Amino acid sequence: MTTPDTLPDTSTAFETAADLAPHRVAGPRRWWDWVLAADPGLGQLQAGWRSLVAMVTSLAVGYGMAQALSIPVMIGMMVAGMMGLMSAFAVAENSWDRLARAILWMPFPYTAVLWLCATLNGERVPQMVLMIAALALTFFLARFGPMALLTGMMLFNGLMVGMLAGIPAALVGKAFAVALVSAAAVLVTRLLLCYPMPREDFLRTQRAFVVEARRVADAAVDALDPDADRKRAVRRTNRALRRLNITTVTIDGRLAQPEVAADPAAAELLHRHLFDAELALRGIGQAAADLTRLPVPEPLREALAVGLVLARDTPLGQAEGLRPAAAHIQERAETILRDAAAPADDVEAAVLARRVGHLLDSLAASLGSWLTLGHTTATGPGDVPFQPTVVLENNRLPGSAGPARRVLAAGSESGWRRVIPFVRVPVHAAVAAAIVCPIADAIDPGRFYWGLVGVMITLFGTNTTHERLRKFGHRMVGTAVGAVLGLVILHLIGRDHVYATLVVIIAGLTLGAWGMQRAYACWVVGLVVALVQLYALSTPDNGMNHLLGERILDNGLGILVATACAALIFPLSRRTVVKEAERGYVDALAQVVMQVEQRWSSPDEPVRLRGAARAVDAALSQVQSVVRPLVRMPVGVRGPAADHRVALLATATGHARALAVAADIDVDLSPRLAERTRLVTATLTASLRELDQFFASGEAEGTGAWRRVSPLIRELEAELAPAPQGPRARSLGTALRELDALDETLAAYAEQAGLPVAAEGRTAQTPASPMQRRTRALMAAWNEPQQRRAAAPTGTARVEGRVHCAAHPEGCPAWVTVISARGKRLAKSQVTAGSYAVEALPPGTHTLVISASRHTPRAELVTVDGPSGTVRHDVELRS
């Protein structure tokens, strides 16, 4: 027995927006979507592809030029290979003119130092001094932009290749010809096969947002399963929300890049709509996590599960189809709320479910507005052009570099200390190289530069001793793993197969470049695998183990000496960087509160509340990057203080996001009430400034405490309660509640940091000791309820049928998901050749959700009468 169309019919979803969405973003599910989710914008894959193209081109040109100019093949391939290697790793411009300027410039500084090295006639001490100077110069030039950094890197690499290959002065001219031709060839192949397309990369990042949004909905469905492991379901939901946030912040960072968003007004609208969509999805995920601890009534659980499956499977271009599912959830929730005899747990579950319904409706509105961007312009007085709040570094979220730069700038404002930001790292490099060079030369005179490479990689991209030691671990582990893999491959292919050796070298560098942004050890593994094949050309089998051991020793020596020099010369402690990162977070949060005050007091002023909240996201990312420990230790050993502070900041960030959306309204209050709202925001801003000053100097000034605004907010809410309820009144009430929650979270954070907390009108209480705070946290963790339910028995019935589609008689790719009346996802089956079959269903009435790539999802009911047998249920999809 079957009963179709009992649930809201979403098959007649909003169609007009489908043609407005870019196909790359709004198209149906694809098998490679998981790649976009793992690598938003495909930056890692592009790095690997660039390396493959550049290395194949440069080595082929180097071999051909060596034959044509009658120079040793090894010299030709080394000179040309360096052009390919550096163009792949150091040149990632997103316009053809900047790309051409950078690549064609590389041969000039490179061959200039080749000639200088050749004129020294093998005098090692002057050559070593030049390499030390070139390394220090590279770090000095890094402060003056990408072209200056590229120049310094080519100077250092030219000296290293000149000493390694021993190129005579008579061949420098031919080496320049090889370098120039190979650079030109690399440029041509990169323009043909790796042409920079920032707009396409941006669309891929947007597609990654859609994939992550579906992952959040799927995790929420699992969390609602009555037999799910609560802890596991909550972890999966939180992980999906974190990935969604990273992708959305990355989109904001890409909007700031050249050639991506030509229209600043459209970019601002895109930023707003994606911000709202993320906020709705976060609310859905958090509500689903909260529902895991409640005994949700089965009809309500079923409506929630069906609605979330529809949200997961509805094509982006038909997002308006979510509204009937949202209305169905709200109806079920209102039925419980209207029942005066409903248990308290059911009422709480209904309130959360009603919130999910509202959020699904908000999600549909945000996505619909996103799709109509092409027909929308910013014309209102409150609309402002997009202004970047997130600056990506190598297409990744910024880490510790920002706080470290601010610490250096703060300590170098007068006198001779003004030069410290410019010379600090070059001095580290020069001193470390001067120490490492003699030691490495004593170990192996022919390969002393391995120690200098250790110095260089340590100081690039790191700002604290913590980060350098982590890089040391990655380098050592990667070298050991790469050496083992390289030797295994060497024994498999032998030494006499030149082309196979070249393939392994190129593949190692390509895979290493692809994995570099995930973990530095991945790059080291690929590099060492390639180098083992290269070393085998001149080293016998009995010398390979000794050679690789020397490499680990020299690299490790360079890293440790550079780390020690950075810790002793113009030191920058990790504690100071952490404090500056937290101070930057507090400042970003203060900007949000001040913009709320400005939005309410001056509605005509251009205010970017969502942009300010996104800056809080970026500041939280910096805090998380600098407080990450080198080695995870048990709580009883390491102490949870840092983790607790970061957790409080993450909670505050969520409240700041919700505040930015709720407060973006025109507030029409009486002068007295308007003054009270200003008092709330001014008091909170003053407390944030007090916390900022406490971080800056270690001492509180002014009131000397965090002053709570909860009493002020409660008084204001009491005066606003008799007013008529409308959309603006509800938004204002939400904004006040978020301000209250934000104040509560930040007061706990201030107490953790050591700043006294005082309620309005009361004296400050003595802050709890570290031991008291640790005890409270452990007690809270121990008292957390743990609910585990036994798995429900499965049945033996079978449901089968056909999926028809008049518009696509050749067949539509589709999936069938079965959800029980309890809201449990029972099974999922793919439609093959128009037919499907679902096994092991228990008796009862279940919901079938049919998700086809060319149609909106369709929900129908099917009843299984007995514990065994077969039920036939055919589905007709509407075009």
Side-chain angles (χ1 to χ4, degrees), residues 17 31 205 267 611 840:
W31 65 267
T205 310

Side-chain angles (χ1 to χ4, degrees), residues 78 108 368 559 808 823:
M78 287 185 67
F108 293 94
I559 294 173
H808 307 101

